[in-house]
Amino acid sequence: MLMANTNVYLILLLLLSVLKWVQSTPHSSTNYVQDACSVTRYRALCINTLAPFSTTAKTSPSKWARAGVSITIGETNKVTQYLMKVKNYRTMKGSYKIPLSDCIECLQDAIDQLHGSLGVLRKLNARNFYAQMGDITTWLSAVLTDHETCLDGFENPRGKQAKMVRNRVLRSSYFTSNALALVNKLATSGLDNTVA
């Protein structure tokens, strides 16, 4: 009986030691994404969407910026496809038809700007770094403007469909805001040696 209690006690001590060690590990993958997202406005969204990149991005601002822009491209594409379905199925009625078309055009422009940003992020170099960062921040700021222009057409939305459009575009703008914050972090920290 004493031997069984001793074994249980030793197993518990071992488990507690392992747990304490895991928690004290300086940069678990959770810490990486939390560190990266600490500069973003929509931190919970950032952490939830970028967590899968933790093992590859680790502490590399350039990899986090690329991940942020990549995720934003995906989200903006989804929203644009949704808006096109709404338009094609003619579920948007009345005074929202023109703003819906304008919104689609704005988000298609945003997708082009996002792809341009990602292309430059993939080819960063020390010689042109600050010019490249200037271009990327300008393009991402334009993407935010595209979202705002789209949202202007759905200010004070009436009806379920108009509210859904507004909410989806607004959420997409949160992704863009986070991507811009990650790019700004890269711009201030400089080109790291883990760009590849």
Side-chain angles (χ1 to χ4, degrees), residues 112-127:
D112 290 342
Q113 302 277 1
L114 288 164
H115 279 289
S117 298
L118 185 59
V120 172
L121 282 168
R122 287 180 174 150
K123 297 177 183 173
L124 291 176
N125 62 69
R127 184 175 188 183

Side-chain angles (χ1 to χ4, degrees), residues 135-180:
D135 289 344
I136 295 167
T137 55
T138 298
W139 295 332
L140 291 178
S141 295
V143 171
L144 280 175
T145 301
D146 286 331
H147 281 87
E148 289 169 13
T149 302
C150 175
L151 289 168
D152 286 345
F154 292 90
E155 197 169 346
N156 303 316
R158 292 180 313 271
K160 182 181 175 183
Q161 193 72 55
K163 288 177 183 173
M164 284 179 63
V165 165
R166 180 169 175 74
N167 290 339
R168 288 191 181 206
V169 173
L170 190 59
R171 185 172 189 267
S172 179
S173 74
Y174 297 164
F175 280 80
T176 304
S177 172
N178 285 348
L180 181 57

